[in-house]
Amino acid sequence: MDIFLQAAIEEARKGLEEGGIPIGSVLVHRGQIIGRGHNRRVQQGSAILHGEMDALENAGRLAAEVYRECTIYTTLSPCSMCSGAILLYGIPKVVIGENQTFMGEEALLESRGVAIEVVNDSQCIEMMESFIRDRPQLWNEDIGEV
């Protein structure tokens, strides 16, 4: 398993242990993790702290050229908000743990030149399937459904 995807999975597990939604992400620049995060909407009472947004926030302010050399790893296909941030900062590659439980804006990202790699990792799939089954109301809140 890719060490960076494994780091994103570890972040997702932290989120689950904290009572939140198990989605994790890491931002990688030149072979080093420079930002890591997990969905903390529940824990922080936040409207925007999805895994990717948390990783970007925890990376701190970066020069534009740094983002253009990064890969972002996420355990779940990125939603509209997170895809927008990926496009805004010009991150050229996204590695996705799985897109079977939720299909985000992969087509949009690809249409704008972002390289997408979908792993469909069994750990990511099982974590989300269990969470969606056990906490459907929280899942629907996170993705904006009723």
Side-chain angles (χ1 to χ4, degrees):
M1 152 125 0
D2 183 301
I3 62 168
F4 301 123
L5 182 57
Q6 189 59 48
I9 292 169
E10 289 167 12
E11 285 294 324
R13 287 190 178 125
K14 283 183 192 175
L16 187 60
E17 290 167 6
E18 294 168 356
I21 300 159
I23 303 168
S25 183
V26 294
L27 184 66
V28 176
H29 181 252
R30 296 183 179 176
Q32 297 291 320
I33 295 173
I34 61 171
R36 57 175 59 234
H38 52 275
N39 187 305
R40 294 190 305 140
R41 289 186 67 247
V42 172
Q43 301 91 313
Q44 299 294 318
S46 171
I48 62 168
L49 279 182
H50 282 192
E52 300 92 332
M53 302 298 278
D54 194 37
L56 288 166
E57 179 68 16
N58 290 330
R61 183 176 168 202
L62 300 170
E65 60 267 14
V66 173
Y67 292 112
R68 289 193 297 266
E69 296 176 343
C70 284
T71 298
I72 193 163
Y73 290 74
T74 180
T75 58
L76 188 65
S77 186
C79 73
S80 300
M81 175 179 64
C82 296
S83 294
I86 290 164
L87 293 173
L88 177 68
Y89 291 109
I91 297 169
K93 184 174 181 182
V94 181
V95 177
I96 298 168
E98 70 103 346
N99 65 2
Q100 294 181 14
T101 60
F102 176 78
M103 174 60 77
E105 298 294 336
E106 294 174 31
L108 171 65
L109 290 167
E110 287 182 312
S111 77
R112 300 279 297 273
V114 177
I116 301 292
E117 179 183 337
V118 180
V119 178
N120 278 326
D121 177 81
S122 61
Q123 296 175 85
C124 295
I125 295 166
E126 171 56 29
M127 196 167 12
M128 284 310 302
E129 284 178 345
S130 297
F131 179 78
I132 292 167
R133 181 184 61 245
D134 296 344
R135 312 253 342 246
Q137 186 174 2
L138 182 54
W139 169 243
N140 290 332
E141 172 192 320
D142 194 63
I143 61 169
E145 294 185 5
V146 181

